[in-house]
Amino acid sequence: RATRDATARDDGWHDVCGVEEVSRSNARRAVCVAGRHLALVRAPAPSARLHAIDATCYHMGGPLLWAEIEEVPGRGACAVCPWHRYHIALTTGERVYRDLNGEYVGIARKQRVHEVREDDATGRVLVRLSRDEEAWESDRYAMKAPPPASAGTGPGPRSGHVFAAGRGRGGIIGGGFDRGECGPGARTSGVRSMVAQTMRGGDGVAPWAMTGSGGDSSLGAFGASAMSVRRVRKKVTFSGEGDGASEDDGDGIEES
């Protein structure tokens, strides 16, 4: 369904939809609040709680509106990204994974979560954006519409399908852009390195979400780059012969 634009109120809350629209178990709704794209997700029973999270996965831009919901011991309901199966706690926005000891642990400040309230008196759902001024990784995608996706019983299209979707349709030429390589208008410089990075467990950047000249796509709703959290990656190179990617520990690429 089309994204619903919210109506702002004086108290900081935004009227986004009717309660009946998200009343059933596992209900979903895409909404846009002050230019920020969110996914409303109703967790299945027994919780049946309504959550509001950034609509695009922090990892590589997957559409969380079509995420499966799994109950994880000690972490509650988690959205499972349809692209790379990352688990994201709906209450805290942590990335949840199982360590070598079999314990479920979380990495904080990954997917920004927002306050949501169901007003019984008016029958409306209200959302108030997170007021945490620190950068969360999902901020870099939050002001862009989520990628193409379709509903279904299984996982949606993975990132490689979206990257390839524009082949033969003609993209923007020049200015760091390539014709159709990763979709119309997508920046393709460094795509292979980013894909290699995410395959190694790192957090990549979805090429479809990048911009060319005339704007910084990494700027979030708070006017600060989500990449202000400094991160050093290993340099990944491709030999083009047989073994694919190789890593060089001595030459890091620093992002800020």
Side-chain angles (χ1 to χ4, degrees):
R1 302 175 71 174
T3 300
R4 175 75 58 81
D5 289 329
T7 302
R9 304 192 337 176
D10 293 337
D11 56 4
W13 289 90
H14 298 257
D15 184 325
V16 295
C17 68
V19 172
E20 75 283 353
E21 298 178 63
V22 287
S23 60
R24 62 179 177 80
S25 177
N26 207 31
R28 315 293 172 88
R29 165 69 70 175
V31 299
C32 188
V33 177
R36 194 177 190 100
H37 292 269
L38 312 181
L40 296 181
V41 179
R42 174 81 66 182
S47 163
R49 177 178 170 184
L50 187 63
H51 301 268
I53 62 174
D54 281 353
T56 304
C57 181
Y58 76 90
H59 171 228
M60 281 198 75
L64 294 183
L65 191 67
W66 305 115
E68 298 173 6
I69 307 299
E70 292 183 5
E71 193 74 20
V72 175
R75 300 289 170 172
C78 291
V80 183
C81 180
W83 279 6
H84 301 108
R85 311 298 292 170
Y86 274 41
H87 286 63
I88 299 167
L90 290 174
T91 54
T92 64
E94 296 175 304
R95 183 205 168 182
V96 176
Y97 69 97
R98 209 166 189 171
D99 65 14
L100 294 178
N101 297 318
E103 300 292 331
Y104 288 101
V105 296
I107 305 176
R109 315 189 84 82
K110 293 294 186 179
Q111 197 74 23
R112 192 180 285 270
V113 296
H114 307 273
E115 295 179 77
V116 61
R117 188 174 77 197
E118 298 177 74
D119 192 325
D120 293 333
T122 63
R124 304 296 295 174
V125 174
L126 305 177
V127 169
R128 183 161 62 185
L129 293 177
S130 165
R131 291 173 285 182
D132 183 355
E133 295 185 357
E134 294 295 323
W136 289 57
E137 291 207 28
S138 64
D139 291 347
R140 57 184 168 179
Y141 297 128
M143 309 304 282
K144 291 181 173 292
S150 59
T153 56
R158 294 186 61 143
S159 54
H161 299 155
V162 174
F163 295 166
R167 288 179 179 160
R169 296 188 302 189
I172 300 174
I173 303 299
F177 291 80
D178 239 348
R179 179 180 298 275
E181 177 66 22
C182 293
R187 183 188 298 273
T188 60
S189 176
V191 169
R192 295 173 69 188
S193 292
M194 287 187 286
V195 172
Q197 179 72 16
T198 188
M199 291 175 71
R200 294 171 49 247
D203 292 337
V205 182
W208 64 263
M210 294 182 178
T211 61
S213 59
D216 183 359
S217 64
S218 66
L219 293 181
F222 301 98
S225 170
M227 297 307 296
S228 61
V229 177
R230 302 179 71 85
R231 197 167 61 199
V232 177
R233 295 178 176 174
K234 293 180 180 179
K235 183 178 180 180
V236 181
T237 59
F238 286 82
S239 65
E241 298 179 4
D243 294 334
S246 61
E247 296 174 355
D248 180 0
D249 290 336
D251 187 8
I253 301 172
E254 185 175 273
E255 297 183 348
S256 61

